[in-house]
Amino acid sequence: MGVLTWTRRGVLATGTALALSLGLPAAAQTPPGVLIVGQIAEPKALDPAAVTAVNDFRILMNVYDGLVRYKSGTLEVEPALATSWEISEDGTEYTFALREGVSFHDGSPFDAEAVVFNFERMLNEDHPFHDTGPFPLAFFFSSVASVEAVDELTVKFTLSEPYAPFLSNLAYPTGLIVSPAAVEQYGADFARNPSGTGAFTFAEWRSNEAVVVEANPDYWDGAPALQAVVFRPITDANTRTAEMLAGGIDMMVEVPPVALSEFRSDSFRIFEQAGPHVWFLILNAKEGPFADKKVRQAANYAINKEALVNDVLEGTAEVAAGPTPPAFAWAYNEALEPYPYDPEKAKALLAEAGAEGAELTFFVTEGGSGMLDPIAMGTAIQADLNAVGFDTRIETYEWNTFLGEVNPGLEGKADMAEMAWMTNDPDTLPFLALRSEAWPDKGGFNSGYYSNPEVDELLEKARVATDQDERATLYKQMQEIVQEDAPWVFVANWKQNAVTSDRVEGFELQPSFFLLLDEVTKN
């Protein structure tokens, strides 16, 4: 039986622990060479320029390549589709030498014109395929003034000004290179018919059941050992755990903390690694109670974050002190202390603001990338807020629906919302989610409408500074101001985890939070 035939017949997202074909236990029917991955949600799209969630990135990083990539186990950049590059003295020109003899999965050639097509599609509103977007993370490349094919295997980026995170952003999924021929063929439907140059080729996507990719025998970096990977969306964490225990899946990511102990046996392998993650509450600073800084600070004092980390998350995270994860050690402000749990201080601030009894609408997600245990956390947060005098009402949404409510902004809908980001550079999260120019109506993710000109200035200076020590100083100053302004409730920095069956070899977690499966085997 062929791999694709097997996956069509054998992998059904039924939400049960024994869900494979022929009515036999899942473990008996999971063939060697086919890795079944339990995903936390249905992907939104398979176009890397059009998505924002790590849940989607975990698939895409196996189908596509970028000009550069993160070296395994690090966030350091190394060659990928580009074999080398040169940077001008003023930091505004990046010239890449491209890898020769690489083809997209559809057979079309990878060359400099393909690179130009990718970035102009994303950045140029007049490009004939710009309407295949939207491209929500195009902000990553806002400094790009032009992209030029110097010759068939040389491409030059000219920036409007120096931009320190440029190479790192090229390694991020937004910088992955898609096939122009496939975009031209499918148009807006490219997101369901992807073609890249990666280790795996797209086979099929059955909505709410599975995304199937198969080994690319012609992969420029060596054919993967696996025959295929099946990404199954299993949104309920308990169901995902049950599937893993029963053998219905071979790997699961973001294991619920309360379930980790169930996998401490010779039949499974547990993986844990710290990474650049922050879990926070977006507060609507534009309208309602949280337009007052004192009320935002009150929420930070009201929530028992130590209890969330130790009791709900079973010690798998640390309390966050501000918007920058400590995993970015060089840019992290170690002098900042987290807001302590102080309900009396919270009550006093509410009294000063005249906000006792303030009604809050709180958006909570059922799951999602990096969201940990969002319903349990949301319920505990609601109780803490109500205990100091708020009147908090929760609205719960499925992950992609949740993003559709939160990303366009909370105005007129909610006072607060859960959120988590996993980022590649200390510039990324604050630039996309805390600047005044990053309000949703301007294309950013500042869904709570925070605005502070001093923060804006520090972020603008940091991203053009080419000296890391200077950047670090600016980021540390930014963290102090943001913590004081409290546009978010800073909750947790997570240690990521995953579990595999003992049949899986060669897997490693990455600090980028991506799944890289080209060197994984399964007996």
Side-chain angles (χ1 to χ4, degrees):
M1 184 183 293
V3 170
L4 187 54
T5 303
W6 181 87
T7 57
R8 283 186 179 130
R9 292 179 57 186
V11 183
L12 301 174
T14 61
T16 68
L18 304 175
L20 300 182
S21 66
L22 307 180
L24 295 177
Q29 293 301 310
T30 304
V34 177
L35 185 75
I36 316 297
V37 180
Q39 288 273 88
I40 60 176
E42 173 80 348
K44 183 177 181 180
L46 298 179
D47 179 348
V51 296
T52 64
V54 171
N55 182 67
D56 298 10
F57 296 163
R58 288 178 174 133
I59 302 174
L60 300 177
M61 293 300 291
N62 295 285
V63 176
Y64 300 93
D65 297 302
L67 295 177
V68 297
R69 64 189 180 189
Y70 299 126
K71 185 178 180 181
S72 183
T74 76
L75 290 174
E76 299 173 15
V77 170
E78 69 175 8
L81 290 177
T83 56
S84 63
W85 54 89
E86 295 180 357
I87 307 172
S88 64
E89 281 192 26
D90 66 358
T92 63
E93 290 185 357
Y94 288 70
T95 304
F96 294 87
L98 303 184
R99 194 172 297 277
E100 190 174 0
V102 177
S103 296
F104 291 102
H105 299 151
D106 57 19
S108 61
F110 164 74
D111 55 21
E113 290 293 348
V115 177
V116 172
F117 178 99
N118 271 259
F119 286 90
E120 288 196 342
R121 176 177 79 118
M122 193 171 15
L123 299 172
N124 181 2
E125 293 183 1
D126 296 326
H127 190 272
F129 293 94
H130 185 74
D131 62 359
T132 56
F135 306 114
L137 294 183
F139 263 105
F140 273 52
F141 303 109
S142 58
S143 63
V144 174
S146 66
V147 191
E148 173 190 356
V150 177
D151 58 41
E152 185 178 2
L153 292 175
T154 309
V155 65
K156 181 172 75 172
F157 290 78
T158 301
L159 310 186
S160 57
E161 58 187 354
Y163 177 43
F166 181 62
L167 283 173
S168 181
N169 283 359
L170 285 175
Y172 205 68
T174 312
L176 295 172
I177 304 298
V178 310
S179 163
V183 174
E184 291 168 0
Q185 177 181 354
Y186 292 107
D189 289 334
F190 172 77
R192 293 191 72 94
N193 297 275
S195 177
T197 62
F200 294 88
T201 66
F202 173 72
E204 66 173 341
W205 178 359
R206 300 190 308 280
S207 294
N208 298 308
E209 289 187 9
V211 172
V212 182
V213 298
E214 296 181 320
N216 175 10
D218 302 317
Y219 185 44
W220 61 265
D221 203 21
L226 292 167
Q227 292 176 266
V229 182
V230 180
F231 296 92
R232 290 182 52 196
I234 309 173
T235 56
D236 180 74
N238 292 328
T239 304
R240 207 160 58 246
T241 299
E243 287 273 11
M244 188 74 216
L245 289 167
I249 56 178
D250 305 304
M251 174 186 295
M252 67 179 289
V253 292
E254 303 191 29
V255 183
V258 294
L260 273 175
S261 60
E262 299 185 60
F263 297 105
R264 299 194 188 281
S265 75
D266 292 341
S267 299
F268 302 99
R269 296 187 177 96
I270 297 174
F271 299 82
E272 294 180 302
Q273 185 186 72
H277 168 279
V278 59
W279 197 106
F280 56 99
L281 301 175
I282 304 170
L283 305 181
N284 185 345
K286 187 176 185 181
E287 61 184 5
F290 291 131
D292 188 326
K293 182 170 76 172
K294 290 180 180 179
V295 182
R296 300 195 300 269
Q297 291 175 334
N300 273 276
Y301 284 114
I303 294 170
N304 189 342
K305 295 174 283 292
E306 291 282 355
L308 287 172
V309 163
N310 294 324
D311 300 338
V312 178
L313 300 180
E314 303 273 333
T316 58
E318 296 181 351
V319 173
T324 300
F328 294 126
W330 63 271
Y332 181 66
N333 191 334
E334 294 184 347
L336 288 184
E337 294 289 337
Y339 275 86
Y341 175 51
D342 191 340
E344 294 308 313
K345 176 73 170 176
K347 291 176 183 177
L349 285 167
L350 286 180
E352 287 180 37
E356 302 102 320
E359 296 181 356
L360 304 177
T361 299
F362 178 20
F363 282 0
V364 169
T365 178
E366 294 174 353
S369 304
M371 294 306 302
L372 310 183
D373 197 348
I375 292 179
M377 295 173 77
T379 302
I381 288 166
Q382 178 190 37
D384 284 346
L385 291 173
N386 289 348
V388 301
F390 288 106
D391 181 6
T392 312
R393 178 176 61 88
I394 285 178
E395 292 184 14
T396 305
Y397 297 92
E398 176 273 333
W399 176 234
N400 285 317
T401 304
F402 177 83
L403 292 178
E405 291 288 340
V406 175
N407 286 347
L410 300 182
E411 184 177 10
K413 294 182 290 188
D415 301 288
M416 56 193 291
E418 297 179 336
M419 188 51 65
W421 276 62
M422 295 168 274
T423 57
N424 62 315
D425 189 275
D427 168 81
T428 306
L429 176 55
F431 194 82
L432 293 180
L434 287 172
R435 282 183 315 128
S436 303
E437 289 299 309
W439 284 23
D441 62 348
K442 299 175 183 177
F445 294 87
N446 187 348
S447 298
Y449 317 97
Y450 171 63
S451 179
N452 185 315
E454 191 174 358
V455 169
D456 297 342
E457 183 179 0
L458 289 167
L459 290 172
E460 293 290 351
K461 287 181 178 179
R463 67 182 352 224
V464 301
T466 54
D467 179 75
Q468 189 175 87
D469 290 340
E470 181 184 352
R471 289 184 74 200
T473 297
L474 295 166
Y475 289 132
K476 290 174 182 179
Q477 292 173 9
M478 175 274 296
Q479 291 165 58
E480 291 178 2
I481 298 168
V482 170
Q483 190 200 51
E484 168 70 17
D485 282 348
W488 302 339
V489 175
F490 313 104
V491 178
N493 301 121
W494 174 56
K495 182 192 295 183
Q496 64 169 320
N497 61 36
V499 168
T500 70
S501 77
D502 61 358
R503 302 173 63 190
V504 176
E505 301 283 350
F507 173 69
E508 294 181 4
L509 280 172
Q510 300 295 327
S512 61
F513 293 90
F514 307 146
L515 287 184
L516 304 181
L517 303 175
D518 54 310
E519 296 187 5
V520 171
T521 62
K522 178 188 155 195
N523 62 37

PDB file of all heavy atoms in Angstrom, residues 198-220:
ATOM      1  N   GLY A 198      11.591  22.461  -0.193  1.00  0.00           N
ATOM      2  CA  GLY A 198      11.980  21.827   1.050  1.00  0.00           C
ATOM      3  C   GLY A 198      12.118  20.322   1.010  1.00  0.00           C
ATOM      4  O   GLY A 198      11.931  19.670  -0.028  1.00  0.00           O
ATOM      5  N   ALA A 199      12.399  19.751   2.187  1.00  0.00           N
ATOM      6  CA  ALA A 199      12.668  18.319   2.324  1.00  0.00           C
ATOM      7  C   ALA A 199      11.443  17.458   2.070  1.00  0.00           C
ATOM      8  O   ALA A 199      11.565  16.273   1.768  1.00  0.00           O
ATOM      9  CB  ALA A 199      13.217  18.037   3.719  1.00  0.00           C
ATOM     10  N   PHE A 200      10.248  18.059   2.181  1.00  0.00           N
ATOM     11  CA  PHE A 200       9.012  17.319   1.962  1.00  0.00           C
ATOM     12  C   PHE A 200       8.137  18.058   0.958  1.00  0.00           C
ATOM     13  O   PHE A 200       8.081  19.297   0.960  1.00  0.00           O
ATOM     14  CB  PHE A 200       8.254  17.124   3.280  1.00  0.00           C
ATOM     15  CG  PHE A 200       8.977  16.238   4.269  1.00  0.00           C
ATOM     16  CD1 PHE A 200       9.900  16.774   5.157  1.00  0.00           C
ATOM     17  CD2 PHE A 200       8.750  14.868   4.288  1.00  0.00           C
ATOM     18  CE1 PHE A 200      10.580  15.966   6.059  1.00  0.00           C
ATOM     19  CE2 PHE A 200       9.411  14.050   5.196  1.00  0.00           C
ATOM     20  CZ  PHE A 200      10.332  14.591   6.083  1.00  0.00           C
ATOM     21  N   THR A 201       7.435  17.291   0.142  1.00  0.00           N
ATOM     22  CA  THR A 201       6.520  17.861  -0.850  1.00  0.00           C
ATOM     23  C   THR A 201       5.087  17.704  -0.374  1.00  0.00           C
ATOM     24  O   THR A 201       4.735  16.709   0.277  1.00  0.00           O
ATOM     25  CB  THR A 201       6.677  17.175  -2.214  1.00  0.00           C
ATOM     26  OG1 THR A 201       6.263  15.803  -2.096  1.00  0.00           O
ATOM     27  CG2 THR A 201       8.113  17.229  -2.694  1.00  0.00           C
ATOM     28  N   PHE A 202       4.260  18.672  -0.698  1.00  0.00           N
ATOM     29  CA  PHE A 202       2.857  18.624  -0.302  1.00  0.00           C
ATOM     30  C   PHE A 202       2.133  17.507  -1.039  1.00  0.00           C
ATOM     31  O   PHE A 202       2.276  17.342  -2.252  1.00  0.00           O
ATOM     32  CB  PHE A 202       2.198  19.970  -0.609  1.00  0.00           C
ATOM     33  CG  PHE A 202       0.710  19.989  -0.396  1.00  0.00           C
ATOM     34  CD1 PHE A 202       0.178  19.968   0.881  1.00  0.00           C
ATOM     35  CD2 PHE A 202      -0.156  20.015  -1.486  1.00  0.00           C
ATOM     36  CE1 PHE A 202      -1.202  19.984   1.079  1.00  0.00           C
ATOM     37  CE2 PHE A 202      -1.529  20.036  -1.306  1.00  0.00           C
ATOM     38  CZ  PHE A 202      -2.050  20.023  -0.017  1.00  0.00           C
ATOM     39  N   ALA A 203       1.331  16.724  -0.309  1.00  0.00           N
ATOM     40  CA  ALA A 203       0.540  15.647  -0.906  1.00  0.00           C
ATOM     41  C   ALA A 203      -0.949  15.972  -0.871  1.00  0.00           C
ATOM     42  O   ALA A 203      -1.619  15.972  -1.908  1.00  0.00           O
ATOM     43  CB  ALA A 203       0.804  14.321  -0.199  1.00  0.00           C
ATOM     44  N   GLU A 204      -1.482  16.274   0.334  1.00  0.00           N
ATOM     45  CA  GLU A 204      -2.891  16.640   0.415  1.00  0.00           C
ATOM     46  C   GLU A 204      -3.204  17.286   1.752  1.00  0.00           C
ATOM     47  O   GLU A 204      -2.471  17.140   2.728  1.00  0.00           O
ATOM     48  CB  GLU A 204      -3.807  15.429   0.193  1.00  0.00           C
ATOM     49  CG  GLU A 204      -3.727  14.365   1.275  1.00  0.00           C
ATOM     50  CD  GLU A 204      -4.772  13.274   1.085  1.00  0.00           C
ATOM     51  OE1 GLU A 204      -5.774  13.504   0.368  1.00  0.00           O
ATOM     52  OE2 GLU A 204      -4.593  12.190   1.660  1.00  0.00           O
ATOM     53  N   TRP A 205      -4.318  17.993   1.743  1.00  0.00           N
ATOM     54  CA  TRP A 205      -4.840  18.635   2.957  1.00  0.00           C
ATOM     55  C   TRP A 205      -6.329  18.322   3.023  1.00  0.00           C
ATOM     56  O   TRP A 205      -7.101  18.786   2.198  1.00  0.00           O
ATOM     57  CB  TRP A 205      -4.598  20.139   2.901  1.00  0.00           C
ATOM     58  CG  TRP A 205      -5.132  20.926   4.081  1.00  0.00           C
ATOM     59  CD1 TRP A 205      -5.806  20.458   5.163  1.00  0.00           C
ATOM     60  CD2 TRP A 205      -5.023  22.346   4.264  1.00  0.00           C
ATOM     61  NE1 TRP A 205      -6.115  21.475   6.026  1.00  0.00           N
ATOM     62  CE2 TRP A 205      -5.653  22.648   5.494  1.00  0.00           C
ATOM     63  CE3 TRP A 205      -4.463  23.371   3.517  1.00  0.00           C
ATOM     64  CZ2 TRP A 205      -5.738  23.958   5.981  1.00  0.00           C
ATOM     65  CZ3 TRP A 205      -4.543  24.660   3.999  1.00  0.00           C
ATOM     66  CH2 TRP A 205      -5.174  24.949   5.227  1.00  0.00           C
ATOM     67  N   ARG A 206      -6.690  17.514   4.007  1.00  0.00           N
ATOM     68  CA  ARG A 206      -8.099  17.220   4.267  1.00  0.00           C
ATOM     69  C   ARG A 206      -8.505  18.041   5.482  1.00  0.00           C
ATOM     70  O   ARG A 206      -8.031  17.794   6.590  1.00  0.00           O
ATOM     71  CB  ARG A 206      -8.304  15.721   4.513  1.00  0.00           C
ATOM     72  CG  ARG A 206      -7.882  14.870   3.320  1.00  0.00           C
ATOM     73  CD  ARG A 206      -8.315  13.407   3.477  1.00  0.00           C
ATOM     74  NE  ARG A 206      -7.891  12.821   4.741  1.00  0.00           N
ATOM     75  CZ  ARG A 206      -6.669  12.358   4.981  1.00  0.00           C
ATOM     76  NH1 ARG A 206      -5.724  12.436   4.057  1.00  0.00           N
ATOM     77  NH2 ARG A 206      -6.377  11.813   6.143  1.00  0.00           N
ATOM     78  N   SER A 207      -9.381  18.996   5.262  1.00  0.00           N
ATOM     79  CA  SER A 207      -9.720  19.959   6.314  1.00  0.00           C
ATOM     80  C   SER A 207     -10.148  19.257   7.586  1.00  0.00           C
ATOM     81  O   SER A 207     -10.970  18.331   7.567  1.00  0.00           O
ATOM     82  CB  SER A 207     -10.845  20.879   5.833  1.00  0.00           C
ATOM     83  OG  SER A 207     -10.390  21.678   4.763  1.00  0.00           O
ATOM     84  N   ASN A 208      -9.564  19.715   8.702  1.00  0.00           N
ATOM     85  CA  ASN A 208      -9.859  19.212  10.047  1.00  0.00           C
ATOM     86  C   ASN A 208      -9.514  17.732  10.225  1.00  0.00           C
ATOM     87  O   ASN A 208      -9.925  17.120  11.205  1.00  0.00           O
ATOM     88  CB  ASN A 208     -11.331  19.454  10.396  1.00  0.00           C
ATOM     89  CG  ASN A 208     -11.673  20.923  10.409  1.00  0.00           C
ATOM     90  OD1 ASN A 208     -11.000  21.714  11.064  1.00  0.00           O
ATOM     91  ND2 ASN A 208     -12.706  21.301   9.657  1.00  0.00           N
ATOM     92  N   GLU A 209      -8.754  17.158   9.294  1.00  0.00           N
ATOM     93  CA  GLU A 209      -8.308  15.775   9.416  1.00  0.00           C
ATOM     94  C   GLU A 209      -6.793  15.657   9.374  1.00  0.00           C
ATOM     95  O   GLU A 209      -6.178  15.150  10.312  1.00  0.00           O
ATOM     96  CB  GLU A 209      -8.910  14.897   8.320  1.00  0.00           C
ATOM     97  CG  GLU A 209     -10.392  14.641   8.472  1.00  0.00           C
ATOM     98  CD  GLU A 209     -10.901  13.634   7.447  1.00  0.00           C
ATOM     99  OE1 GLU A 209     -10.059  13.026   6.737  1.00  0.00           O
ATOM    100  OE2 GLU A 209     -12.122  13.471   7.349  1.00  0.00           O
ATOM    101  N   ALA A 210      -6.183  16.123   8.282  1.00  0.00           N
ATOM    102  CA  ALA A 210      -4.740  15.924   8.150  1.00  0.00           C
ATOM    103  C   ALA A 210      -4.167  16.753   7.019  1.00  0.00           C
ATOM    104  O   ALA A 210      -4.821  16.980   6.001  1.00  0.00           O
ATOM    105  CB  ALA A 210      -4.423  14.450   7.908  1.00  0.00           C
ATOM    106  N   VAL A 211      -2.923  17.187   7.215  1.00  0.00           N
ATOM    107  CA  VAL A 211      -2.067  17.671   6.134  1.00  0.00           C
ATOM    108  C   VAL A 211      -0.976  16.626   5.954  1.00  0.00           C
ATOM    109  O   VAL A 211      -0.303  16.245   6.926  1.00  0.00           O
ATOM    110  CB  VAL A 211      -1.446  19.046   6.463  1.00  0.00           C
ATOM    111  CG1 VAL A 211      -0.400  19.424   5.407  1.00  0.00           C
ATOM    112  CG2 VAL A 211      -2.521  20.123   6.559  1.00  0.00           C
ATOM    113  N   VAL A 212      -0.811  16.146   4.725  1.00  0.00           N
ATOM    114  CA  VAL A 212       0.143  15.079   4.440  1.00  0.00           C
ATOM    115  C   VAL A 212       1.251  15.619   3.540  1.00  0.00           C
ATOM    116  O   VAL A 212       0.976  16.254   2.512  1.00  0.00           O
ATOM    117  CB  VAL A 212      -0.545  13.889   3.743  1.00  0.00           C
ATOM    118  CG1 VAL A 212       0.462  12.756   3.501  1.00  0.00           C
ATOM    119  CG2 VAL A 212      -1.731  13.394   4.567  1.00  0.00           C
ATOM    120  N   VAL A 213       2.494  15.386   3.936  1.00  0.00           N
ATOM    121  CA  VAL A 213       3.636  15.725   3.090  1.00  0.00           C
ATOM    122  C   VAL A 213       4.485  14.477   2.906  1.00  0.00           C
ATOM    123  O   VAL A 213       4.544  13.612   3.782  1.00  0.00           O
ATOM    124  CB  VAL A 213       4.473  16.874   3.697  1.00  0.00           C
ATOM    125  CG1 VAL A 213       3.635  18.139   3.810  1.00  0.00           C
ATOM    126  CG2 VAL A 213       5.065  16.496   5.058  1.00  0.00           C
ATOM    127  N   GLU A 214       5.131  14.382   1.733  1.00  0.00           N
ATOM    128  CA  GLU A 214       5.931  13.205   1.410  1.00  0.00           C
ATOM    129  C   GLU A 214       7.384  13.595   1.164  1.00  0.00           C
ATOM    130  O   GLU A 214       7.686  14.735   0.793  1.00  0.00           O
ATOM    131  CB  GLU A 214       5.366  12.510   0.171  1.00  0.00           C
ATOM    132  CG  GLU A 214       3.975  11.962   0.395  1.00  0.00           C
ATOM    133  CD  GLU A 214       3.425  11.256  -0.836  1.00  0.00           C
ATOM    134  OE1 GLU A 214       3.640  11.743  -1.959  1.00  0.00           O
ATOM    135  OE2 GLU A 214       2.763  10.214  -0.653  1.00  0.00           O
ATOM    136  N   ALA A 215       8.276  12.640   1.341  1.00  0.00           N
ATOM    137  CA  ALA A 215       9.709  12.906   1.200  1.00  0.00           C
ATOM    138  C   ALA A 215      10.031  13.413  -0.197  1.00  0.00           C
ATOM    139  O   ALA A 215       9.498  12.914  -1.200  1.00  0.00           O
ATOM    140  CB  ALA A 215      10.496  11.641   1.490  1.00  0.00           C
ATOM    141  N   ASN A 216      10.910  14.401  -0.256  1.00  0.00           N
ATOM    142  CA  ASN A 216      11.421  14.927  -1.525  1.00  0.00           C
ATOM    143  C   ASN A 216      12.742  14.222  -1.813  1.00  0.00           C
ATOM    144  O   ASN A 216      13.770  14.558  -1.212  1.00  0.00           O
ATOM    145  CB  ASN A 216      11.625  16.440  -1.410  1.00  0.00           C
ATOM    146  CG  ASN A 216      12.265  17.048  -2.632  1.00  0.00           C
ATOM    147  OD1 ASN A 216      12.413  16.386  -3.662  1.00  0.00           O
ATOM    148  ND2 ASN A 216      12.647  18.311  -2.540  1.00  0.00           N
ATOM    149  N   PRO A 217      12.757  13.239  -2.726  1.00  0.00           N
ATOM    150  CA  PRO A 217      13.991  12.479  -2.958  1.00  0.00           C
ATOM    151  C   PRO A 217      15.106  13.310  -3.575  1.00  0.00           C
ATOM    152  O   PRO A 217      16.277  12.920  -3.525  1.00  0.00           O
ATOM    153  CB  PRO A 217      13.539  11.364  -3.914  1.00  0.00           C
ATOM    154  CG  PRO A 217      12.331  11.925  -4.604  1.00  0.00           C
ATOM    155  CD  PRO A 217      11.650  12.793  -3.591  1.00  0.00           C
ATOM    156  N   ASP A 218      14.743  14.470  -4.140  1.00  0.00           N
ATOM    157  CA  ASP A 218      15.731  15.325  -4.808  1.00  0.00           C
ATOM    158  C   ASP A 218      16.123  16.523  -3.956  1.00  0.00           C
ATOM    159  O   ASP A 218      16.674  17.500  -4.482  1.00  0.00           O
ATOM    160  CB  ASP A 218      15.166  15.810  -6.148  1.00  0.00           C
ATOM    161  CG  ASP A 218      14.794  14.662  -7.068  1.00  0.00           C
ATOM    162  OD1 ASP A 218      15.584  13.700  -7.154  1.00  0.00           O
ATOM    163  OD2 ASP A 218      13.712  14.714  -7.687  1.00  0.00           O
ATOM    164  N   TYR A 219      15.849  16.482  -2.667  1.00  0.00           N
ATOM    165  CA  TYR A 219      16.135  17.637  -1.815  1.00  0.00           C
ATOM    166  C   TYR A 219      17.621  17.978  -1.869  1.00  0.00           C
ATOM    167  O   TYR A 219      18.484  17.093  -1.726  1.00  0.00           O
ATOM    168  CB  TYR A 219      15.707  17.336  -0.374  1.00  0.00           C
ATOM    169  CG  TYR A 219      15.838  18.510   0.563  1.00  0.00           C
ATOM    170  CD1 TYR A 219      15.413  19.782   0.178  1.00  0.00           C
ATOM    171  CD2 TYR A 219      16.383  18.347   1.832  1.00  0.00           C
ATOM    172  CE1 TYR A 219      15.533  20.863   1.040  1.00  0.00           C
ATOM    173  CE2 TYR A 219      16.497  19.420   2.712  1.00  0.00           C
ATOM    174  CZ  TYR A 219      16.072  20.677   2.302  1.00  0.00           C
ATOM    175  OH  TYR A 219      16.188  21.751   3.157  1.00  0.00           O
ATOM    176  N   TRP A 220      17.917  19.239  -2.059  1.00  0.00           N
ATOM    177  CA  TRP A 220      19.304  19.694  -2.237  1.00  0.00           C
ATOM    178  C   TRP A 220      20.191  19.398  -1.022  1.00  0.00           C
ATOM    179  O   TRP A 220      21.408  19.258  -1.154  1.00  0.00           O
ATOM    180  CB  TRP A 220      19.343  21.190  -2.559  1.00  0.00           C
ATOM    181  CG  TRP A 220      18.756  22.078  -1.481  1.00  0.00           C
ATOM    182  CD1 TRP A 220      17.481  22.549  -1.435  1.00  0.00           C
ATOM    183  CD2 TRP A 220      19.411  22.587  -0.324  1.00  0.00           C
ATOM    184  NE1 TRP A 220      17.283  23.313  -0.313  1.00  0.00           N
ATOM    185  CE2 TRP A 220      18.467  23.363   0.387  1.00  0.00           C
ATOM    186  CE3 TRP A 220      20.705  22.480   0.193  1.00  0.00           C
ATOM    187  CZ2 TRP A 220      18.770  24.011   1.593  1.00  0.00           C
ATOM    188  CZ3 TRP A 220      21.015  23.124   1.387  1.00  0.00           C
ATOM    189  CH2 TRP A 220      20.057  23.881   2.067  1.00  0.00           C
TER     190      TRP A 220
END
